[in-house]
Amino acid sequence: MSSLKKHALSAVLLLLLCLPLTAQTSTGPEPSSLTGLLIGQAESPVAYATVALMRDDSVFVSGTLTSEYGTFAFNDLAPGNYSLKIDHLEYESRVTAPEVLLSGDRKTLPVIQLQTSTNDLSEVVVVGDRKPRIEVKADKIVFNVADSPSASGTNGLDLLKRSPGVRLDMDDNISLLGKSGVRVYVNDVPSRLAGADLANFLRSLASDNVQSIEIISNPSAKYEAEGTGGVINIRTKKNPAMGTNGSLTSSFQQGRYLRYNNGLALSHAAERISANLDVTQSDREAIDGFIDSKRQNGTTLLLDSQTKTDDRAVNVAAGVNVRLTDDHTLDVSGRSIISRNRFALGSRTDIFAPTPNDLSGILISPSLMNQPSQNHTLNGNHRWQINDKSSLTTALSVGRYTDTEAISQPNTLFRPDGTTVRSVENVAFDSNVNIGLWSAKTDYERAWKTITLTTGAKFSSVSTANCFNFFDVTGEERRPNAAKSNDFDYTERVTAAYGSATWQLNPAFSLRTGLRVEHTRSRGVLVSMADVENQDVSRSYTDLFPNVGISFDGASKHNWVLSAGRRIMRPNYQNLNPFESPVSQLTVWKGNPFLQPAYTNNYQASYAYDQRLVVTGSYSENRGYFATLFEVLEGNRNQLIPRNMELATTLGVSVSYPLKVAKFWELNTFANAGYKTYAGDLEGTIIDLTATTWDLTLQHNVKLPGGILLDLSYFIESDWIWRGSIRVKGNQELNVGLRKDFLDGRLQLRATGTDVFQTTNDYFYTGDYGGIATEGVRYFDSRRFGLGATWKFGNQQAKAAKRAKGALDDELGRIGG
């Protein structure tokens, strides 16, 4: 980094770190809630009414707008007497009778009918309410990114990097509060993809279509037990406007290479039916480089490689929601992603033996790969509101994923002079992946005065067919090599049932207990001409996943939550394929059919003061952690292989303390610190590593003169451990975004800067285990600047006309910060 760059960044960071580290959040222990429905004279739902929650008839507590279906909800409430003040331009204002709410109550009010107003509708003032950028709640953290200028023009994977408590390693593996093995959901539907397939899927999601990211570090029994690190749920935008509406979005970012997104969103909503269509086209060019030194068996391998990636994708999502009756709702949604990825690798390896100064050969092994893929999912959901205390939800999901890879890899070994050819080994290989999946589940919920019961069942099935064809290449001729080719089929069936109950022990204390039981049957079958062991590996096992939590939510400013739970992470099918896939003539990737599931016990305690300061402490034990290791083969070759580690632990603490610094300035702060251990005998490779890690995120949201919104976010992290075996030096990053609305909000322009000072471009690492000592740097194209625009069209004003500026708007504005 240049001296000027370091001094400039230091000045900015000094300014950021000198600011108050507080903000407004919404938090509490085991949530209580108050829900209801507004209808008009014709018993049609009243959409977008202002509903204010008042305590003891006069103290304003919170406010919200009713949905397009006339429903509203208030969560995380303390015990007390509450009434509602309801305002709507087309109806007379109304104040409801007081309701007594005990801690832990989940009360649904009788239907509220409003009387038609005779007010003049000729003039309407349209206002909007903004949520805090980061909300810390009892069971999750919500990162509201919809209005973030700096989030524009990126993708779902980049958004996760900026989410509080979430980090991605250099292989795009996701960890949450320091724990790996995170399960990703989209609109409450779990993704069945993992590894590189999951990363490619998230890249196809345009950030401009994302509403929020929910971070759930210790999920209840209602969630699948899969995901040792927790659950991340990505919620996409939905236009709640009545009538027909739409928007056009276009954005680009320029770094070393260009990236851009174009999108069209359409929606239509009537009284009982709504539909939406989103189409996004994206193009992403990037680089991924290695400068790496490995010492093994008296040989030193000095690698210099760089991969240029060109990803193109079309992402189409559509959905229909129908209120069949007042008690029955049907929701059908689907998504199709068609992508084409291309990789061009330039690779040179200098071979030194037996001493580091004795150059014995130079290996040139470039690769070219084409990788078209398709991902199609269809989801159906039916909800039956049996009465005001019970409901039944049934869901069905089906999906299909295909991936085709065609790789050409010439290997030329030169003598030390760099011109005399010693040997040539040109190869090519094709890989075809076909995944079919489906799942069905049902959930029943029943509430009594002091207890709420939730129970359900689920069945999921995943079948994968993998075909790997290896070719020896001479000139233009490709000769199939049956001994190095294989077919690998993997099936997995999971049957689950769960029960969860919440007891209100007294007005301040509540107890949540849950138990999930899952039975897994899996089988991996390898068909190959080669003499390979473990050609048929079957498993059948049943696991119990209990969780328990107790919360204190009194009238004071102090709130506590204590919880514990057990979770599982199953190996993905790619890591179970026992065949070798060459990275170069010197390195191969090999799967491990004996990978066992990893299990984690999570223990967590959260404290909130004045619904502002939130501190969470956690401890987790991961038995069977998936580590990825380099292992020495004969001569100067090595293999990269996943193995189960005996134990990985994480002791951590996170702090959230946001503040409204001024009327025009919000500051959100999120910090993590942890102590991690990685230990075990991994098939003869001994790992014993410890690390004290920390990271800090500061996010400023400033309203500048002229209606310009400014985002300024800074992230810094300590050294950390990669793949369970490699130490990586920490980095820091500064991002900036500007947004300005024109034409009554119909036109929005944005400017963004990512890694402005290019301080997170290089990752320096070291490792020494299993007879291999390695050090190097991996680098990316991290600094990018971009522009974006969104144009809204359709019936936007018609929806907005249903809401006028009322007496409570100032209070509602304070809620959103």
Side-chain angles (χ1 to χ4, degrees), residues 632-782:
V632 176
L633 300 177
E634 70 283 352
N636 52 19
R637 298 178 66 246
N638 56 68
Q639 70 178 9
L640 190 62
I641 186 170
R643 294 201 184 277
N644 288 112
M645 183 173 287
E646 182 179 343
L647 180 64
T649 68
T650 300
L651 176 64
V653 61
S654 65
V655 180
S656 174
Y657 191 31
L659 165 78
K660 190 161 188 175
V661 181
K663 185 177 181 180
F664 60 91
W665 182 4
E666 300 172 1
L667 172 61
N668 292 285
T669 305
F670 197 90
N672 284 305
Y675 178 75
K676 302 180 180 182
T677 68
Y678 301 85
D681 182 347
L682 290 75
E683 301 293 329
T685 300
I686 305 299
I687 299 292
D688 187 7
L689 295 176
T690 62
T692 300
T693 64
W694 56 266
D695 61 74
L696 172 68
T697 300
L698 301 176
Q699 187 177 71
H700 299 264
N701 311 122
V702 183
K703 298 178 181 178
L704 300 177
I708 299 175
L709 296 181
L710 167 68
D711 271 6
L712 189 66
S713 64
Y714 170 64
F715 171 79
I716 184 171
E717 65 176 349
S718 67
D719 297 354
W720 50 282
I721 293 180
W722 176 37
R723 294 176 173 173
S725 57
I726 302 291
R727 295 187 182 276
V728 181
K729 187 174 179 59
N731 280 327
Q732 53 188 319
E733 179 178 309
L734 182 69
N735 303 314
V736 63
L738 294 167
R739 192 188 82 189
K740 167 70 174 175
D741 292 344
F742 300 90
L743 304 176
D744 295 328
R746 286 186 175 271
L747 175 63
Q748 182 184 103
L749 300 180
R750 302 173 297 274
T752 61
T754 301
D755 191 20
V756 175
F757 294 96
Q758 204 171 14
T759 48
T760 191
N761 193 75
D762 303 325
Y763 291 85
F764 295 91
Y765 59 86
T766 60
D768 191 354
Y769 63 87
I772 300 179
T774 183
E775 61 180 349
V777 59
R778 188 172 181 179
Y779 58 91
F780 301 89
D781 180 19
S782 63

Side-chain angles (χ1 to χ4, degrees), residues 36-40 44-46 49 51 66 69-72 86 111-112 114:
L37 170 67
L38 301 185
I39 62 173
S44 61
V46 178
V51 183
T66 57
Y69 308 117
T71 59
F72 63 87
I86 303 168
V111 174
I112 302 172
L114 303 182

